[in-house]
Amino acid sequence: MINRQITKLTVLHRMYLQAQGHLSKVRSWPSLYQVQSIHTTASCLKKPKKDISSEPYRFTTSNANMKSLTMSTEVNEYQGPIVALSLVVFLAYFLYLREENDWDEQLNVTLFERVPSVEEPHLIQAIPRMKQRGEDTTEAEARLKELIQQRQAKERANS
C-alpha cells in the first residue's frame, strides 16, 4: 500500500515538475523526506478513531513513567565522618589559626570610609525615616552637621 502511494506521488511530482520545466532535476526514486511523510501519513490514517481521545494523558499511568534513572545506593560508610572532619578542620584554620591579611583589613572598612561623599545624602534621607519610627536622631543630626561643615571647609579651601 505504501509503495503504491509512493509511486502515485512520484508520478504526480514528475508531472508537476514537467509543467514547471524542472524535469531534468527529477530523480526516479522519491526523496527521503517524501518517503517519511508518506509513511507517517499512512500510519496515522490507519489508526481507528476510537483510540484517539481528547482527554489528556496521565503521566503516572503511561509508559513514559519509568524509573530508568535510579540513584546509586552504594555509599561509603566513611563518607559522612570524613566530610564532617574536613569541614571542622577547614573552619578551625580559617576562623582561628589563620593570620589576618590585607583583604581582612579591607573587609573591616565601612562604606562611608571608602566613599565619603555617600554619607551626607544617606543621613539626609535617613533622619526623616528615623523620626517617623520614633527613634532618637540626635547623633545622626550631629554627624550631618559635622559633614556639612567639613564639606564647606573643603570648598573654601579649594576656591
Side-chain angles (χ1 to χ4, degrees):
M1 181 173 162
I2 293 176
N3 289 335
R4 284 187 220 151
Q5 290 177 346
I6 291 173
T7 308
K8 288 179 186 177
L9 283 177
T10 305
V11 170
L12 290 174
H13 185 64
R14 284 179 149 243
M15 290 173 56
Y16 171 76
L17 290 177
Q18 187 176 19
Q20 297 293 323
H22 301 293
L23 188 58
S24 62
K25 297 180 182 178
V26 176
R27 296 180 182 168
S28 61
W29 295 96
S31 69
L32 183 62
Y33 175 75
Q34 291 171 334
V35 172
Q36 181 183 7
S37 65
I38 292 169
H39 176 70
T40 55
T41 305
S43 63
C44 289
L45 293 175
K46 288 181 182 178
K47 240 183 192 176
K49 293 283 184 178
K50 62 182 178 183
D51 289 343
I52 299 173
S53 174
S54 62
E55 296 179 10
Y57 290 109
R58 295 191 57 90
F59 175 75
T60 54
T61 58
S62 71
N63 292 335
N65 184 16
M66 58 185 203
K67 309 268 194 255
S68 62
L69 298 176
T70 58
M71 296 298 291
S72 174
T73 57
E74 296 179 22
V75 177
N76 188 350
E77 62 184 80
Y78 301 110
Q79 179 178 347
I82 289 173
V83 170
L85 181 65
S86 300
L87 185 62
V88 167
V89 169
F90 172 74
L91 287 175
Y93 167 75
F94 190 78
L95 298 175
Y96 296 110
L97 301 175
R98 185 177 65 92
E99 294 181 12
E100 286 191 10
N101 55 22
D102 296 338
W103 289 7
D104 294 323
E105 293 171 5
Q106 290 292 327
L107 290 174
N108 292 330
V109 176
T110 64
L111 174 67
F112 301 130
E113 292 174 2
R114 286 186 197 273
V115 188
S117 61
V118 175
E119 188 174 9
E120 185 179 340
H122 171 72
L123 286 174
I124 291 172
Q125 292 177 357
I127 290 173
R129 282 183 281 165
M130 291 169 68
K131 286 181 180 179
Q132 284 179 348
R133 288 183 273 177
E135 297 177 6
D136 185 25
T137 60
T138 55
E139 291 180 17
E141 289 172 347
R143 179 67 180 153
L144 181 60
K145 287 179 187 177
E146 181 183 330
L147 289 172
I148 291 172
Q149 289 173 357
Q150 287 176 359
R151 182 176 46 88
Q152 289 173 350
K154 284 182 184 178
E155 288 174 358
R156 282 189 225 123
N158 290 338
S159 55

